[in-house]
Amino acid sequence: GNFMGYTVRTQHYRYVEWRENDSGKVLASELYDLTEESEEATNLAADPEKAVLLEKHQQILKDGWQAALPPSDRPSVQAPLPRLF
């Protein structure tokens, strides 16, 4: 179809965003508690009690995998050298 799923997995949860390819608009979200069930049958994304967890995982996905690395493993960004001429 015209959509793609993006996933982040933490120690206890798996979060999925289904986004429209052209616009990037989030069409649906899934949040599964991996400590409660291994088959991921209960989507917790709409549970108001899980709203903070949902927002946390949305931010992790938005920040990308490099932001999840320990500080010592993150690629360093160097400022460009000044032009001398």
Side-chain angles (χ1 to χ4, degrees), residues 11-57:
Q11 186 175 0
H12 299 290
Y13 294 91
R14 185 169 83 93
Y15 173 69
V16 183
E17 276 185 2
W18 294 95
R19 298 182 194 161
E20 191 173 51
N21 285 336
D22 296 335
S23 69
K25 176 182 174 186
V26 177
L27 303 172
S29 298
E30 302 174 31
L31 180 67
Y32 300 103
D33 184 343
L34 302 176
T35 63
E36 295 294 320
E37 57 185 4
S38 60
E39 62 276 352
E40 299 180 8
T42 306
N43 182 0
L44 304 171
D47 183 343
E49 293 182 15
K50 304 295 183 186
V52 171
L53 278 170
L54 182 68
E55 289 174 14
K56 175 183 175 184
H57 287 80

